[in-house]
Amino acid sequence: MKKIVQSICLFVFAFTIQAQEQAVPVFKNGEAQIVTAFKNPENWIRHDLWVETTFDSDGDGKLDRMHVDVTRPAQTENGLKLPIVYESSPYYSGVASGGRELFWNVKHELGEKVPEPTRSNVKRTGKRPIISNSQIKTWVPRGYIVVHSSSPGTGLSDGAPTVGGDNESLAPKAVIDWLNGRAKGFSEREGNKEVTAFWSTGKVGMTGTSYNGTIPLAAATTGVNGLEAIIPVAPNTSYYHYYRSNGLVRSPGGYLGEDIDVLYDFIHSGKEENRARNNKVVRDTEIANGMDRLSGDYNDFWAGRDYLNDMKPMKAALLMSHGFNDWNVMPEHSYRIYKKASEMGLPTQIYYHQNGHGGPPPVKMMNRWFTRYLHGIENNVENDAKAWIVRENDKRSEPTPYKEYPNPDAKEITFYLKGGAPRIGHLSTEKLEIKETETLIDNYSFSAASLAQADYTNHRLLYTTPILKEDLHISGTSVITIKAASSKEAVNLSVYLVSLPWSKGRRAKITDNIITKGWADLQNYKSLTKSKPLKKGKFYEMTFKLQPDDQIIKKGQQIGLMIFSSDSEYTLLPKPGTELTVDLTGTKITIPIVGGQDAFKKAIN
């Protein structure tokens, strides 16, 4: 009996091994399917290693090594090679904690120098060998290997964080090179025992959200062979656009007073012994000399941290994802890269939802993308609709397909202003012939929401269309030309498009009130690279874009253009009292409306 049991056990064991050896990815309707043999986490192989880069960003005389972890099906030990889904991050090993003292003081005049914020060290968290568990449950059962890495100067990776510097592009490139046998991997941070990716096909797809979504783009701009596709979610594609807006010092939503040096401190979780040197060289020299918080101008420092400038070598297929109401990493970040990639002839798609920060495309979309470009299955995804937009009341998993974004049927309609201050004026397609000016008084004590709801206030100017009798579809980027004068040498300029009446309470949805936003420094009316103090009372004309949007404004609403000065959630907050005078004759806004003039006239008549 004992021998029979042993024979059965040996048979089961042998059958299990054989089943593992024979298990391969399975595809149906152009998508990788969950394979039972890949599904059990107990059978996954997990290990970590260090990949050697081509740079020494911490100045210790040795090439930096990046900490990497791998999660793969057991079958890869028996000759099965699979493609890789790869995510990299500066956040995996802990971030700085603290209060508002870590941020810059924003209550001061524009151009005024203020003390630097309190600096804070990061305590590293997390244990080896696991860097992250993200992506694993989704992709390993579908026949992928999942790889993570900590970015330079974070966690157990060598180097210094640079917040958009070249090493943050070259680090993931090195990992992809290792996955293709072109770079060295080691079992220990300081050791010499090499590790190879014998289980890799060399086909890599990257994804991630926010900073983790920036890194796939950073890697793609190196043109590294093997990076076949990227799916960035709400990526920061330009640190200037994240911390500045048309020459204005502007904070990302929810982080008033944050700047690029604050983010550096926030993520710097690497070697304690290297921190003083990194702070001196990177934060206190390169960043401090380049960020120019006094003027907010665009310069070489910011240009070097704008991935749009580095896209020429890029050849990875791009599926971009973002939320139209993301006021942290704003929707312009994704659109500018999508537009350029399309112009370059790269395979591109864009997925927009109506919510805030984060939000990847549906798994089905990502699956088709990775199946096509990592497994090489001809599923015709490159001929799918270019744009997928989640309509206002739909689920994120049910986007509506469109030929392109912006909607090809959208036409720019120019609107002009007719005064009504301190009450509400009019927004009309008929140009005002009589010269008219209106003045507002800056006061950051009043939020944008309160200003939009006020029937009577001298702290904003508000102009509305007639009440819509039918729904109106806006798709694209609104552009404002404003002619204004200030009672001071510098003034904040904030512009919102709003949908009125304002919805309040629990029933209000994120799409109910704000259509889009924009900010600018009137001192940069000629150039983003050179601001010039304003002459008090002199009128200057400036044109700038608001954030891209795609939204259906419901019948019964009015579209409102609100002009004000300091924005309590985003800008510096100077002492109240500055007067901003707008020349209505020289001010106009173009709004992209699906159906053009005919659609607008039909909606208001």
Side-chain angles (χ1 to χ4, degrees), residues 417-419 432 436-438 461 463 582-588:
L417 283 55
K418 184 178 180 181
L432 184 69
E436 185 178 5
T437 63
E438 292 194 321
L461 304 176
Y463 310 90
V582 177
D583 180 347
L584 303 192
T585 313
T587 300
K588 60 184 179 181

Side-chain angles (χ1 to χ4, degrees), residues 6 17 104 106 110 130 201 274 283 296 364 388 397 486 492 520 591:
Q6 288 176 338
I17 294 297
W104 284 85
V106 296
L110 277 66
I130 307 305
T201 64
N274 289 347
R283 184 192 67 194
K364 181 181 180 66
W388 297 80
S397 59
S486 170
N492 289 316
I591 302 174

Side-chain angles (χ1 to χ4, degrees), residues 76-220:
T76 56
E77 279 293 295
N78 301 315
L80 179 64
K81 293 187 176 184
L82 295 173
I84 289 86
V85 173
Y86 171 30
E87 182 174 3
S88 183
S89 176
Y91 299 136
Y92 287 145
S93 296
V95 293
S97 60
R100 302 304 306 177
E101 71 277 1
L102 302 181
F103 294 79
W104 284 85
N105 172 24
V106 296
K107 291 187 176 181
H108 60 84
E109 300 298 316
L110 277 66
E112 179 184 350
K113 192 171 184 179
V114 296
E116 293 183 2
T118 300
R119 301 302 183 184
S120 175
N121 289 335
V122 181
K123 290 185 178 180
R124 203 192 77 77
T125 61
K127 297 179 180 180
R128 287 186 57 198
I130 307 305
I131 294 178
S132 173
N133 288 311
S134 70
Q135 313 299 337
I136 292 173
K137 291 182 179 180
T138 300
W139 300 112
V140 173
R142 288 179 167 86
Y144 295 88
I145 294 163
V146 173
V147 168
H148 302 97
S149 71
S150 293
S151 58
T154 72
L156 296 178
S157 286
D158 296 335
T162 55
V163 194
D166 288 344
N167 68 331
E168 292 188 1
S169 299
L170 295 174
K173 176 185 182 297
V175 175
I176 295 166
D177 280 335
W178 173 72
L179 290 166
N180 281 273
R182 298 187 298 263
K184 292 182 178 181
F186 298 93
S187 60
E188 299 293 337
R189 190 174 190 173
E190 308 291 343
N192 295 315
K193 183 180 178 181
E194 292 194 27
V195 179
T196 62
F198 61 86
W199 29 260
S200 167
T201 64
K203 302 289 187 182
V204 181
M206 293 189 71
T207 190
T209 299
S210 198
Y211 209 139
N212 300 16
T214 300
I215 295 174
L217 177 62

Side-chain angles (χ1 to χ4, degrees), residues 168-414:
E168 292 188 1
S169 299
L170 295 174
K173 176 185 182 297
V175 175
I176 295 166
D177 280 335
W178 173 72
L179 290 166
N180 281 273
R182 298 187 298 263
K184 292 182 178 181
F186 298 93
S187 60
E188 299 293 337
R189 190 174 190 173
E190 308 291 343
N192 295 315
K193 183 180 178 181
E194 292 194 27
V195 179
T196 62
F198 61 86
W199 29 260
S200 167
T201 64
K203 302 289 187 182
V204 181
M206 293 189 71
T207 190
T209 299
S210 198
Y211 209 139
N212 300 16
T214 300
I215 295 174
L217 177 62
T221 61
T222 69
V224 59
N225 290 328
L227 181 55
E228 305 296 330
I230 60 172
I231 307 179
V233 181
N236 180 345
T237 66
S238 163
Y239 285 91
Y240 184 83
H241 288 77
Y242 190 60
Y243 290 116
R244 307 287 183 266
S245 185
N246 301 299
L248 194 70
V249 175
R250 176 190 52 72
S251 305
Y255 300 92
L256 191 63
E258 185 188 318
D259 212 325
I260 192 167
D261 56 343
V262 178
L263 182 54
Y264 167 93
D265 281 331
F266 190 66
I267 65 174
H268 193 187
S269 60
K271 282 183 178 178
E272 290 282 350
E273 58 268 34
N274 289 347
R275 191 166 292 168
R277 178 266 173 201
N278 290 346
N279 289 348
K280 180 180 178 181
V281 173
V282 180
R283 184 192 67 194
D284 302 335
T285 303
E286 180 183 1
I287 292 177
N289 293 340
M291 63 189 285
D292 188 9
R293 194 169 170 85
L294 293 180
S295 77
D297 292 349
Y298 189 79
N299 56 27
D300 289 342
F301 170 82
W302 294 114
R305 286 164 168 78
D306 186 341
Y307 293 106
L308 187 67
N309 298 331
D310 300 331
M311 286 184 65
K312 188 175 181 180
M314 180 172 161
K315 50 183 180 282
L318 172 69
L319 169 57
M320 185 67 82
S321 177
H322 216 138
F324 280 125
N325 288 285
D326 185 350
W327 304 116
N328 177 0
V329 182
M330 301 192 188
E332 67 180 339
H333 283 270
S334 54
Y335 176 61
R336 61 205 297 272
I337 300 299
Y338 165 78
K339 183 172 181 286
K340 178 65 174 178
S342 296
E343 292 169 355
M344 291 169 62
L346 297 175
T348 54
Q349 283 183 6
I350 196 161
Y351 165 85
Y352 274 122
H353 58 80
Q354 301 293 340
N355 298 104
H357 190 50
V363 171
K364 181 181 180 66
M365 286 186 69
M366 298 179 72
N367 195 344
R368 283 178 58 76
W369 207 251
F370 284 155
T371 294
R372 170 66 181 87
Y373 294 106
L374 302 191
H375 279 291
I377 302 299
E378 298 286 347
N379 59 10
N380 209 35
V381 70
E382 62 270 30
N383 295 319
D384 286 354
K386 291 269 287 181
W388 297 80
I389 296 172
V390 180
R391 294 270 48 104
E392 288 73 6
N393 296 312
D394 291 345
K395 298 176 182 177
R396 283 193 193 177
S397 59
E398 300 174 355
T400 300
Y402 293 90
K403 290 181 181 179
E404 183 56 279
Y405 177 80
N407 191 307
D409 295 328
K411 302 292 186 293
E412 292 185 348
I413 308 302
T414 301

Side-chain angles (χ1 to χ4, degrees), residues 457-472:
T457 176
N458 61 359
H459 299 305
R460 59 95 175 106
L461 304 176
L462 180 59
Y463 310 90
T464 61
T465 66
I467 295 173
L468 301 180
K469 306 294 194 304
E470 293 188 6
D471 294 353
L472 197 65

Side-chain angles (χ1 to χ4, degrees), residues 415 425-429 463-469 472 500 556-560 600 603-605:
F415 292 86
H426 300 286
L427 200 59
S428 171
T429 55
Y463 310 90
T464 61
T465 66
I467 295 173
L468 301 180
K469 306 294 194 304
L472 197 65
L500 300 173
Q557 295 292 108
Q558 292 175 283
I559 297 173
F600 179 69
I604 64 172
N605 290 330

